Amino acid sequence: MPAQAYAGKECVCQFKRGICDQTCVRDMLDTPVYIACLRLRGRKCVVVGGGEIGLEKVEGLLACGGEVTLIAPEASSELRALADEGSIAWERRPYAGPADLEGVFIVIAATDDTDVNIGVYEDAERRAMLVNVVDVPPLCNFILPAIVRQGSMAIAISTQGASPALAKRMKAEISEQFGPAYAELAVILNEARGWAKGTLPTYNDRKEFFESIVNGDPDPVQLLRQGRTDEVRELVEAAKRRHAGALGASA
């Protein structure tokens, strides 16, 4: 079951049961989640809580180009340094309510105060905005998965809060399997998108073009792992000639 939700522990969710009876998490693992990649560049993001977890969330938002405001009376030395250098704005005070979410796209609460966390969640829900209360899945309308990043490529791993340890293991294994060669291939294929859109008339034509490269022989990933980038680019050019020729022959 999700962290911080098991019988006998003090309730930390919006149901305020006193002692947790798992009401809030009974159907979580049976609830499908809609996976999406958010574009945060230039968007206002708020983190409530200035501790170690708050730092982790701030760094994740900054890495994606978010404009981050930290709300916390106190903050770790790393967060203070980010504020001093101008990377984040720091409101040196407690969370004050709905006004703190005005114009905000996403808010993450990372405090150890249950009442504050519930307040952030409820204020955000009333605004139909994205909210995540760290380690309390019932107080989230989105889940932050473990992320494997290789250049512009990102792979998300989620157990829906059931086991962060398992997600961590999966992240390590996926990182090893899908290394820099995949990110490099994505860049090379992206360079061919303009040609494909301008030359190949249908979606299926473009699909077959790219799949012939990605699944072709020789394997472009193996070539890139060996540092043979020029040969991969020649594979792309050969595929262009082959598909353009096929179009000409059918005209």
Side-chain angles (χ1 to χ4, degrees), residues 142-240:
F142 75 97
I143 296 169
L144 289 167
I147 301 293
V148 175
R149 294 190 186 277
Q150 294 288 355
S152 61
M153 183 182 73
I155 303 171
I157 304 138
S158 174
T159 61
Q160 296 197 205
S163 178
L166 177 58
K168 185 176 180 180
R169 171 179 171 169
M170 293 169 67
K171 177 179 178 179
E173 292 178 358
I174 290 170
S175 295
E176 185 174 336
Q177 181 176 355
F178 298 100
Y182 283 87
E184 187 177 357
L185 180 57
V187 171
I188 292 172
L189 294 174
N190 186 61
E191 293 170 354
R193 284 172 63 86
W195 177 89
K197 287 183 177 181
T199 307
L200 304 177
T202 70
Y203 168 82
N204 282 333
D205 290 332
R206 296 188 289 273
K207 178 174 178 285
E208 290 174 7
F209 166 71
F210 285 110
E211 289 187 351
S212 73
I213 300 167
V214 171
N215 302 318
D217 184 18
D219 181 352
V221 172
Q222 293 300 328
L223 292 176
L224 290 170
R225 284 173 174 164
Q226 297 165 17
R228 297 158 66 183
T229 303
D230 290 344
E231 293 181 46
V232 175
R233 293 190 182 279
E234 178 50 37
L235 288 178
V236 174
E237 294 304 315
K240 288 180 181 179

Side-chain angles (χ1 to χ4, degrees), residues 15-106:
F15 291 102
K16 299 182 180 180
R17 296 286 190 178
I19 298 300
C20 177
D21 65 2
Q22 302 182 57
T23 295
C24 59
V25 299
R26 283 175 183 155
D27 66 344
M28 287 197 64
L29 296 183
D30 297 323
T31 303
V33 294
Y34 186 77
I35 304 297
C37 297
L38 303 178
R39 297 179 66 177
L40 296 183
R41 185 170 303 279
R43 294 186 182 273
K44 293 182 180 180
C45 309
V46 166
V47 174
V48 181
E52 181 180 342
I53 302 301
L55 172 63
E56 175 188 328
K57 304 310 176 186
V58 165
E59 289 178 334
L61 294 169
L62 288 177
C64 296
E67 293 184 358
V68 181
T69 295
L70 172 70
I71 299 176
E74 303 293 336
S76 67
S77 58
E78 294 91 343
L79 285 167
R80 290 198 301 271
L82 289 172
D84 290 342
E85 72 187 25
S87 294
I88 65 173
W90 178 20
E91 298 285 342
R92 295 169 172 79
R93 56 172 176 78
Y95 176 74
D100 284 338
L101 304 183
E102 190 67 36
V104 172
F105 179 69
I106 184 172

